[in-house]
Amino acid sequence: MVTLIGTETPAYVPAASGATATLVDLAESTVRDLNQALHEPHVQGEWTVTNSDGKHSIAVGIDAPVSVTIEGHVGYYAAGMHQKGDVIIRGNAGVGLAENIMSGTVHVTGDASQSAAATGHGGLVVIDGNAGARCGISMKGVDIVVGGSIGHMSAFMAQAGRLVVCGDAGDALGDSIYEARIYVKGTVASLGADCVEKPMGGEHLEELGQLLAAAGRTEQPSEFKRYGSARNLYHFHVDNSTAY
Amino acid sequence: MTVTSLPHDAALSARHPGELGLRESATFDRATIADIQRAAATGVYDIRGWGAKRSVPHFDDLLFLGASMSRYPLEGYRERCDTDIVLGDRHASKPLHLQTPVTIAGMSFGALSANAKEALGRGASEVGTSTTTGDGGMTPEERGQSKHLVYQYLPSRYGMNPDDLRKADAIEIVLGQGAKPGGGGMLLGQKITERVAGMRTLPVGIDQRSASRHPDWTGPDDLEIKIGELREITDWKKPIYVKVGASRPYYDTALAVKSGADVIVVDGMQGGTAATQQVFIENVGIPTLAAIPQAVQALQELGVHRKVQLIVSGGIRTGADVAKAMALGADAVAIGTAALIALGDNDPRYAAEYAALGSAAGYYDDFQDGRDPAGISTQDPELSSRLDPVAGGRRIANYLRVLTMEAQTIARACGKSHLRNLEPEDLVALTIEAAAMARVPLAGTSWIPGAR
């Protein structure tokens, strides 16, 4: 069981809501206790987690309209396979942040390590800082907004969803990309196999504007370039064999 | 070579080349010649289904000793020989309890038709064993018809979602398969129908080439954390398997145990695939026979043999194969190719249709093509409809029962009241190679080549 060490009205909850937060101190409770509590039927409300201390698998498998704030750094797979609720991490996140997210939002105020939002099927992942290598690898519908830069091999085999990068992108961006769309404001070190720059249409400016707004960003859509699949690798052709 | 010693005669061409004294090259045999000419014509490597077709040391090279003066047999039909097996009780609060140690291996909806998947689920459920999803997610038909369903967690993560994870009875983290250790999945465009594409979030009709590495972990230390995450998501209820293609089974098994797996699945090179490069299938990985003792040794050295269960697959065909795998230390086996054959794959009654596809019954391996006359490795509605899932389920159940009864027959003859009581001491090898790989003595000797 979670050791409830008290409730309080946290500063980030609008005063008008009158909501109180469940406070879980991971110096007192285990990650197992926290996750089990978050998986209980009809769980809801505001949760605050302290002393996260880089622990792994914090707040994974949420499937409820809860709002969880983690005050500190998290280890691997924070908010993994997330559904419905909102998770805010006030710190940095380790490998595989919000991996396979289905819906809801996950927001990191610091940096995220590699494979952020890997294979995500839906929802929104916002990283205010930078993200490491393989950000959005095999993404399947998730939207990702990175305030800083992303590492190499990001959006590798990205199938669906949108990746927005307000800084720069590392090498081999969008290698073997399928139908995901990538927007980068800064420079791209290099594009991966079958990933090309594409023209910005009205619908792209519009969706990018919505994504930036959802992530609380102030950049303008017109400052970005769009990248996506040339679709040359969709069917094997001997003349493309060097691209494999 | 041309025949010069005989007069030219039209009747000659009808005779078998061997009768004329013609000699075929062992190095460049007809299949090799066809491969070279096909490569030259197309510029593409050959992709096919099935597992390794080359001859490798296998269970056929082992024999049971049976009971005699110093061993006491059990009466067939009268004395019990149990077959049930518990999988995943190391860490999971809800381990699987199967009635037979013969399980159905992972095969995807996409690679197989929905009817074939349903038939596998029906057959497995009828005899109280498990079936397994594949690289493409869980279908409602499969979940609905499978009493025990193992949900594969693959590098591609097609269709992966926490709802299905919680619906599963066990989770199998796939690092590799015997047909292609180190290779990713493949599904060619002709099988990516609207439904398959939708489940995998891919455009319809494209050639799907899946990743070979997991996207969010690398190596055993990460795997331990990943297993921890999956346990947290499922509240420590589900057994977690780790499946590897047989290449370095001693180390892979030890590392999987250290990573926290409940069950290790080792798939030998004879294990099947729906679509892989032939060069990969035939040249990467080791035979099932060679893999089992290595995996068992790792489990024994770590003190977890029988506590972390071992499932072996790759070329299991008969109850004798089941019994031999278990005698070498496996807790259970998985069948894939044999299950498809039980459903009607390569049935001679489709001879004319196989011929029309340039193949023949007994040779057909173009699972990647989606034109399977038996309606199994296809997404074509007309072909799929040839396989009645209820009748197919009955055939699978029959076959699973035969495998189980055959294994029991052998176990009783060896004086064992449970299949799991079979042991290496019950076995001898027919060849030096098999003796060395299986680590049992050459028949009639006490010689285990390589034993210290």
Side-chain angles (χ1 to χ4, degrees), chain B residues 259-340:
Chain B
S259 301
D262 294 308
V263 175
I264 317 291
V265 184
V266 176
D267 187 25
M269 73 179 292
Q270 301 100 311
T273 172
T276 300
Q277 300 93 330
Q278 169 158 278
V279 70
F280 208 149
I281 299 173
E282 295 289 352
N283 296 284
V284 184
I286 65 172
T288 305
L289 194 65
I292 302 172
Q294 293 189 59
V296 172
Q297 182 190 345
L299 294 171
Q300 287 172 336
E301 287 177 2
L302 291 166
V304 295
H305 188 218
R306 306 299 187 199
K307 294 175 186 153
V308 172
Q309 289 82 26
L310 174 66
I311 302 178
V312 166
S313 56
I316 302 284
R317 306 150 299 174
T318 65
D321 293 345
V322 175
K324 289 168 184 174
M326 294 186 73
L328 290 174
D331 294 276
V333 300
I335 58 168
T337 303
L340 303 188

Side-chain angles (χ1 to χ4, degrees), chain A residues 31-32 35-36 39 56-57 60-61 76-77 80-81 83 95 99-100 102 115 119 121 137 140 157 159-160 178-179 233-236 238 244, chain B residues 43-44 153 156-163 165-166 200-203 205-207 209-211 215-217 222 225-226 229 232-233 235-236:
Chain A
V31 171
R32 177 80 286 269
N35 288 331
Q36 186 70 55
H39 297 167
H56 305 310
S57 306
V60 297
Y76 281 44
Y77 310 130
M81 296 212 188
Q83 292 187 97
V95 171
E99 65 88 15
N100 215 88
M102 303 300 294
S115 302
T119 77
H121 284 68
I137 182 171
K140 295 170 169 59
M157 295 181 87
Q159 296 169 229
Y178 293 99
E179 294 295 305
L233 300 183
Y234 277 14
H235 294 95
F236 186 90
V238 66
Y244 290 99
Chain B
V44 185
Y153 189 76
S156 70
R157 311 279 166 88
Y158 293 133
M160 173 50 56
N161 68 80
D163 297 329
L165 205 63
R166 294 185 187 102
R200 300 183 187 214
T201 326
L202 289 169
I206 69 154
D207 290 344
R209 296 151 291 126
S210 314
D216 57 352
W217 62 269
D222 282 5
I225 304 171
K226 172 52 73 177
E229 184 209 6
E232 283 296 320
I233 291 171
D235 294 326
W236 291 72

Side-chain angles (χ1 to χ4, degrees), chain A residues 194-212:
Chain A
D194 213 30
C195 186
V196 293
E197 185 179 340
K198 294 188 161 186
M200 273 283 205
E203 74 273 29
H204 304 116
L205 291 166
E206 188 182 339
E207 75 170 6
L208 178 55
Q210 290 167 355
L211 289 165
L212 289 166

Side-chain angles (χ1 to χ4, degrees), chain A residues 117-203:
Chain A
T119 77
H121 284 68
L124 173 67
V125 176
V126 178
I127 300 158
D128 291 347
N130 303 305
R134 302 180 187 85
C135 179
I137 182 171
S138 292
M139 54 193 281
K140 295 170 169 59
V142 65
D143 290 325
I144 307 168
V145 180
V146 182
S149 299
I150 59 172
H152 63 268
M153 294 299 278
S154 288
F156 174 65
M157 295 181 87
Q159 296 169 229
R162 287 85 54 97
L163 169 63
V164 178
V165 183
C166 299
D168 304 326
D171 276 316
L173 177 69
D175 194 289
S176 305
I177 188 171
Y178 293 99
E179 294 295 305
R181 293 192 288 279
I182 305 173
Y183 299 97
V184 182
K185 181 176 172 226
T187 60
V188 174
S190 66
L191 292 171
D194 213 30
C195 186
V196 293
E197 185 179 340
K198 294 188 161 186
M200 273 283 205
E203 74 273 29

Side-chain angles (χ1 to χ4, degrees), chain A residues 15-31:
Chain A
S17 76
T20 58
T22 305
L23 186 61
V24 180
D25 182 351
L26 289 179
E28 302 289 331
S29 303
T30 65
V31 171

